């Protein structure tokens, strides 16, 4: 393991905070720091002047909660940086962007992670801590006197957290592949037996003024989005103000001379006997944060791989799927790129308390940018893989690729059950809330339409907004019910229809079966497309494995679940991607 290169990147911050106060734009550094023989990914928010001369370690819980809390954590970090604090966030060992050589997490190192980040962040300055959920339990359990002050939200013991996360995995068991043997499997995370045992020993935090530990209750912060879908993970309106106020009580005086530490921009890890380099980059005109992985020595025509995250997830979700895949692919000689998308991960807007609709032009443009970047890094074959929303973006972007790029590009369109072309269907209420939204696997197609989202700020500002909003929601729901009935009937007939009828239906956007869109992609010069489905998604879309066109095929991988929550699905997806990538370059080992 080696580290090198320091640097900062100025992240754009939009608008005002959730409490209406102006957000001060400060630089943010992304990189890695050492923690024993491991690497930890850290994100450092430089303090606004005048700085307070102290740092804050902001610890979010690992696992799926890391994704649902992304927006809340970013809003809080920016508010603290604007108040003069240097804020350091991090990913626990074996999760997120902290690289791992195996997909089973040694959680017994997590208490050491917290100490390593604190010591690195301090560098002679006082260090305060803010922890959420089980991260707060680790923070409060640290008997080291190196913490100046500690604030805990949503307190829970390690045993309670593990039991709850295990229950969520069991509840999803009907739609997920069976658990793999060994360790403890959670949603999007798999712990070794030793790691799970270590988590269980972490006690529930309690307020202790003598040790500088305070608890912020839900009445002060509002309900935190711990176990919800990322698309509805709303930032509680009181959380940023409550955290800033709690820390300000014992904050040091402002000090103009304070500087933020800088993490390494490059690192190397050993994967299967091959040394792989990771480096932080910025992608596109918006300077989106990204990661490149590649072997230390590679051929000019090495295979290239671009990876797009699903839905509203950060660039690298909690389970480390795409980073693990990139490291594995690079150990076989490939150069790989991951990048954030607008309003997800590091690029969430400060003036929005919930995720915006990702099915729009931004996603298409950013997927095209990713493919072009990968193509510029190598003269070899290019592969781009995306899950669900990422798959949708890749398909839409394929029509805009230059012929010389599309001729050497293969798309892996994974578990995409939203084949409609019109993004306006998702504009106001998101994928699951909109009345015309496609059904997800396992959902009862005869169920009543979900309730419409609350009225917008514009509605609330107008006289009689409540009545107008109610009337609008009622009309939209009724229209949606009728439209869904028509769409379902059309879809059922279209499965058995001729290719010409299917193509016309896809052009009009009234069905969501993959065959018409795959045939349309055949018009892109030289492009190869694999529509990859898990068994349940394939059944939902009514598809069978086989070739659709001269360069298009439907592939079914039985062990996949829709969002790759299970360990078996993540392993199968990584192996599938790397096998097809290396086979396309003729370097399969």
């Amino acid at each position: 393991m080696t580290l090198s290169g320091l640097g900062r990147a100025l992240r754009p911050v939009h608008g005002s905070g959730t409490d209406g106060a102006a957000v001060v734009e400060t630089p943010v550094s992304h990189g890695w720091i050492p923690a024993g023989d491991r690497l930890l990914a850290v994100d450092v928010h430089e303090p606004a002047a005048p700085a307070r001369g102290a740092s804050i370690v902001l610890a979010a819980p690992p696992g799926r909660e890391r994704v649902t809390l992304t927006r809340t954590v970013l809003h809080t970090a920016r508010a603290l940086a604007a108040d003069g604090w240097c804020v350091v966030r991090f990913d626990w060992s074996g999760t997120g962007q902290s690289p791992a050589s195996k997909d089973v997490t040694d959680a017994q190192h997590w208490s050491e992670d917290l100490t390593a980040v604190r010591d690195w962040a301090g560098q002679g300055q006082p260090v305060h801590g803010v922890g959420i959920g089980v991260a707060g339990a680790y923070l409060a359990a640290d008997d080291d006197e190196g913490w100046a002050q500690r604030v805990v939200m949503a307190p829970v013991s390690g045993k309670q957290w593990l039991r709850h996360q295990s229950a969520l995995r069991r509840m999803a068991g009907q739609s997920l592949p069976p658990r793999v043997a060994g360790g403890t499997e959670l949603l999007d995370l798999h712990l070794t037996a030793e790691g799970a045992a270590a988590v269980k020993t972490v006690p529930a935090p309690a307020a202790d003024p003598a040790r500088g530990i305070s608890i912020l209750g839900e009445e002060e912060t509002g309900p935190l989005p711990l176990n919800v879908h990322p698309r509805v993970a709303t930032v509680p309106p009181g959380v940023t103000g409550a955290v800033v106020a709690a820390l300000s009580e014992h904050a040091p005086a402002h000090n103009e001379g304070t500087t933020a530490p800088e993490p390494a921009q490059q690192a190397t890890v050993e994967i299967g006997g091959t040394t792989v380099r990771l480096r932080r980059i910025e992608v596109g005109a918006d300077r989106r944060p990204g990661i490149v992985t590649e072997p230390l020595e590679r051929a000019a025509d090495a295979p290239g791989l671009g990876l797009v995250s699903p839905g509203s997830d950060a660039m690298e979700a909690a389970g480390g799927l795409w980073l693990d895949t990139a490291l594995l692919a690079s150990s076989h000689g490939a150069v790989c790129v991951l990048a954030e998308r607008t309003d997800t991960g590091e690029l969430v807007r400060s003036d929005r308390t919930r995720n915006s609709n990702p099915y729009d032009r931004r996603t298409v443009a950013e997927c095209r940018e990713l493919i072009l970047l990968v193509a510029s890094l190598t003269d070899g074959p290019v592969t781009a893989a995306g899950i669900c929303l990422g798959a949708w973006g890749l398909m839409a972007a394929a029509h805009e690729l230059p012929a010389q790029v599309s001729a050497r590009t293969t798309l892996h369109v994974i578990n995409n059950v939203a084949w409609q072309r019109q993004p306006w269907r998702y504009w106001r209420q998101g994928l699951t809330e909109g009345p015309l939204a496609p059904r997800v696997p396992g959902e009862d197609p005869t169920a009543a339409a979900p309730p419409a989202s609350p009225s917008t700020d514009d509605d609330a500002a107008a006289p009689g907004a409540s009545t107008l909003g109610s009337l609008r929601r009622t009309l939209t729901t009724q229209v949606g019910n009728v439209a869904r009935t028509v769409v379902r009937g059309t879809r059922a007939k279209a499965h058995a229809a001729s290719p010409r009828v299917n193509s016309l239906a896809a052009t009009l956007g009234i069905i969501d079966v993959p065959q018409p869109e795959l045939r349309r992609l055949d018009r892109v010069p030289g492009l190869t497309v694999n529509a990859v489905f898990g068994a349940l998604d394939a059944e939902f879309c009514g598809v069978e494995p086989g070739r659709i066109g001269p360069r298009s095929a439907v592939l079914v991988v039985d062990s996949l679940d829709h969002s790759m929550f299970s360990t078996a699905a993540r392993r199968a997806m990584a192996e599938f991607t790397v096998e097809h990538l290396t086979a396309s370059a003729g370097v399969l080992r």
Side-chain angles (χ1 to χ4, degrees), residues 94 100-106 180 189-192 319-320 324 567-568 570-572 575:
S101 58
K102 55 185 179 180
D103 58 7
V104 182
T105 300
D106 295 323
V180 296
L189 195 61
H190 189 193
L191 309 184
T192 62
D324 289 348
T567 302
R570 293 195 298 274
R571 288 178 179 174
E575 292 170 359

Side-chain angles (χ1 to χ4, degrees), residues 440-484:
V440 297
E443 185 177 356
D444 180 8
T446 62
S453 60
S455 57
T456 63
D457 294 339
D458 293 339
D459 292 335
S466 177
T467 302
L468 290 175
S470 176
L471 178 60
R472 179 193 303 174
R473 290 193 295 272
T474 301
L475 290 175
T476 303
T477 299
Q478 293 302 321
V479 171
N481 286 337
V482 174
R484 265 201 307 274

Side-chain angles (χ1 to χ4, degrees), residues 57-63 65-67 69-70 72-73 88-92 95 114 130-136 138 226:
V57 173
L58 178 51
E65 290 176 343
R66 172 185 179 268
V67 178
L69 281 167
T70 293
T72 296
V73 169
V88 180
R89 300 179 287 111
F90 70 98
D91 285 339
W92 304 86
T95 72
L114 195 58
V130 177
I132 304 175
V134 74
Y138 273 97
L226 290 169

Side-chain angles (χ1 to χ4, degrees), residues 379-453:
D379 296 328
V382 173
T383 299
I387 303 171
C388 193
L389 177 279
W392 177 88
L394 289 175
M395 287 191 301
H399 299 281
E400 303 177 5
L401 295 176
Q404 63 270 27
V405 173
S406 64
R408 58 188 177 107
T409 298
T410 297
L411 301 184
H412 292 324
V413 178
I414 304 162
N415 281 350
N416 179 24
V417 297
W419 292 85
Q420 288 94 340
R421 293 177 55 206
Q422 286 89 339
W424 62 265
R425 296 189 175 192
Y426 307 98
W427 173 52
R428 287 297 294 272
Q429 298 172 1
L431 178 61
T432 59
E433 296 177 51
L436 297 180
R439 297 295 182 180
V440 297
E443 185 177 356
D444 180 8
T446 62
S453 60

Side-chain angles (χ1 to χ4, degrees), residues 119-451:
D119 292 347
W120 180 84
Q123 300 188 5
Q125 298 178 347
V127 181
H128 301 241
V130 177
I132 304 175
V134 74
Y138 273 97
L139 183 66
D142 189 352
D143 291 328
D144 196 312
E145 297 181 355
W147 298 99
Q149 181 187 7
R150 286 170 273 189
V151 175
V152 176
M153 293 179 281
V156 64
S157 70
K159 186 175 182 179
Q160 290 171 323
W161 178 81
L162 198 61
R163 181 185 299 137
H164 182 68
Q165 298 300 314
S166 297
L168 291 177
R169 172 61 174 82
R170 287 194 302 273
M171 291 166 61
Q174 292 183 349
S175 61
L176 300 185
R179 293 173 182 263
V180 296
T184 298
E185 184 179 345
L186 313 175
L187 278 182
D188 229 346
L189 195 61
H190 189 193
L191 309 184
T192 62
E194 296 79 8
V199 173
K200 290 180 182 178
T201 64
V202 181
D208 187 345
R211 298 172 60 211
I213 300 175
S214 59
I215 308 293
L216 281 182
E218 188 173 297
E219 66 279 1
E220 300 168 276
T221 65
L224 296 172
L226 290 169
N227 295 299
V228 298
H229 194 284
R231 283 192 295 269
V232 294
T234 303
V235 181
V239 66
T240 55
V243 174
V244 170
L247 289 166
S248 296
E249 294 179 10
H250 306 285
H254 290 86
N255 179 3
E256 285 283 3
T258 301
T259 59
E262 297 184 32
Q265 301 296 288
Q266 296 189 37
T268 59
V269 295
E270 292 290 324
I271 305 293
T274 300
T275 302
V276 176
R277 174 172 51 222
L278 302 91
R279 54 188 174 93
R280 299 292 316 204
I281 62 169
E282 293 180 339
V283 180
D286 293 333
R287 302 170 66 183
R288 297 181 287 125
I291 295 175
V292 171
T293 70
E294 58 189 345
L296 287 181
E297 296 182 2
R298 65 174 176 88
D301 60 351
L305 175 62
L307 300 160
V308 186
S309 60
S312 301
D313 283 6
M315 169 176 62
E316 183 45 78
L321 168 62
W322 278 155
L323 185 57
D324 289 348
T325 301
L327 292 173
L328 180 60
S330 291
S331 73
H332 286 74
V335 54
C336 310
V337 181
L338 303 83
E340 298 282 13
R341 295 193 326 276
T342 298
D343 208 28
T344 65
E346 295 299 313
L347 298 181
V348 299
R349 292 178 60 114
S350 295
D351 56 347
R352 290 178 179 168
T353 61
R354 62 174 295 167
N355 290 317
S356 58
N357 168 41
Y359 287 83
D360 63 12
R361 180 64 195 169
R362 297 168 306 168
T363 296
V364 178
E366 291 166 0
C367 286
R368 184 189 68 246
E369 253 182 355
L370 181 70
I371 297 174
L372 294 178
L373 174 59
V374 175
S376 72
L377 296 176
T378 179
D379 296 328
V382 173
T383 299
I387 303 171
C388 193
L389 177 279
W392 177 88
L394 289 175
M395 287 191 301
H399 299 281
E400 303 177 5
L401 295 176
Q404 63 270 27
V405 173
S406 64
R408 58 188 177 107
T409 298
T410 297
L411 301 184
H412 292 324
V413 178
I414 304 162
N415 281 350
N416 179 24
V417 297
W419 292 85
Q420 288 94 340
R421 293 177 55 206
Q422 286 89 339
W424 62 265
R425 296 189 175 192
Y426 307 98
W427 173 52
R428 287 297 294 272
Q429 298 172 1
L431 178 61
T432 59
E433 296 177 51
L436 297 180
R439 297 295 182 180
V440 297
E443 185 177 356
D444 180 8
T446 62

